[in-house]
Amino acid sequence: MMAMTKEEVKGTYSMRDILSRCGLPRPNRSGFINCPLHKGDREASMKIYEKDYNCFGCGANGDIFTFLQQFYSVSFKEAFQMLGGTYGKPSYASKLAVYKAEKARLMRQKQAERHIKKCRLNNMLIDIYRRYMDKSEPFSEVWCDSYNALQYQLYIHEILNEKRTGE
């Protein structure tokens, strides 16, 4: 059996599922129920959201674990285990998976930084070649060389933009 993490448990159950497990009625059309966490609630004062709740009468609020903790007067660990969560030492395979994911994230970050540097250099070269063209005699050797270099940098600029947008 695979150990479920807190986030996996949260992804598995909605607040409506938790209410059902506790034997409480379904929320009305507005998403409210009478608060089971305080006495004397004549009108529905607890708003039920997808993954959490808020009582406007007693101020109780939280996620599915907090609700179970308050409803059954149990610890977080007990509420977590009630929903199928398990504690255990992470295995070598899970540590390796975390390491690989972090390494991949760092590689993507470095790749993005290199891409930004290439774009900045490309923009700087485009500006330089345009300035050379502005200062030189049209169709002179310097102007033609600058024009050709500018065309090449604009081509590179298009390629860099395509890589950035993922086309």
Side-chain angles (χ1 to χ4, degrees), residues 14-19 48-53 64 67:
S14 69
M15 267 309 294
R16 290 176 186 263
D17 297 332
I18 300 303
L19 294 176
I48 303 298
Y49 301 99
E50 179 63 26
K51 296 292 179 185
D52 53 5
Y53 65 95
I64 59 175
F67 184 84

Side-chain angles (χ1 to χ4, degrees), residues 10 32 38 70 83-85 96 99 114 117 124 126 133 154-155 157:
K10 277 184 162 183
F32 282 89
H38 72 272
Q70 291 177 345
L83 297 176
L96 183 61
Y99 170 76
R114 282 192 302 269
K117 285 181 182 178
M124 184 179 72
I126 288 171
M133 287 178 66
L154 290 172
Y155 171 74
H157 184 73

Side-chain angles (χ1 to χ4, degrees), residues 57-69:
C58 67
N61 61 49
D63 61 7
I64 59 175
F65 300 112
T66 310
F67 184 84
L68 289 175
Q69 284 176 266

Side-chain angles (χ1 to χ4, degrees), residues 3 32 35 38 73 97 104 122 149 151 153 166:
F32 282 89
C35 181
H38 72 272
S73 299
N122 179 259
Q151 293 303 311
Q153 289 304 320

